[in-house]
Amino acid sequence: MVVLHVKSAAPAASPSSPEAADEGTAFLYECAASASVADVAAAIGALAGLQARLLSLCRRLREKRRADAGAAAAAELERALDEAEAYASKEQVQHNRFLSPRALREHIKNIEKKCGTTLQESPEALGLQESSSDKHERIKLWWAGKELAMDHKLSDYIGVNDKTKIVIKLTRACDEC
């Protein structure tokens, strides 16, 4: 299996915090060398979207918690936020740990549940639910300074060796460019 070290830049539209403004996200993804670039892009885009949603949810809840300093049972919510941020952080790449879409979804559900019990509000009332979007379908993958064409196979670029690790840059497709 080919290991893809996926890096994406922080979105320019949300420089709400200094940490988020200068850091992007990173994670590891594993696939076969014979996989099509379009399939890999869809899987990576979905995973990147879940990771970004989880980290954004944690950041917004921490800001909300600063505003509600006297909230009861905040320790459970704080622990859930810490665990989720640790799981989705780019430090997982250093430990060769892969992200799982199922685990990311479970962290999101856990945080929303804790949020409902701790802050006594539903996730919808807090604005934590995000509408489904097709952001992850409109991405481009780059390797070695070249954009990977969606109609090719990954092996067309990296060869057939399944014991390869490459760094992929993830960017959003721009309609106006």
Side-chain angles (χ1 to χ4, degrees), residues 129-148:
Q129 295 285 339
E130 288 190 11
S131 61
S132 61
S133 64
D134 65 334
K135 279 196 263 184
H136 67 272
E137 295 173 4
R138 305 196 46 87
I139 63 169
K140 293 181 181 181
L141 300 180
W142 296 79
W143 176 66
K146 297 178 186 173
E147 180 182 350
L148 304 183

Side-chain angles (χ1 to χ4, degrees), residues 35-44 139 141 148-154:
S36 75
V37 172
D39 292 343
V40 170
I44 286 175
I139 63 169
L141 300 180
L148 304 183
M150 295 296 166
D151 59 343
H152 285 86
K153 292 195 176 291
L154 198 54

Side-chain angles (χ1 to χ4, degrees), residues 2 8-11 13 17 20 22 31 36 41 48 55 58 69 74 93-94 121 125 135 139 168 170 177:
V2 175
S8 63
S17 66
D22 62 351
C31 65
S36 75
L55 293 173
C58 291
V93 173
Q94 297 169 349
E121 293 184 57
K135 279 196 263 184
I139 63 169
I168 294 283
L170 177 71
C177 297

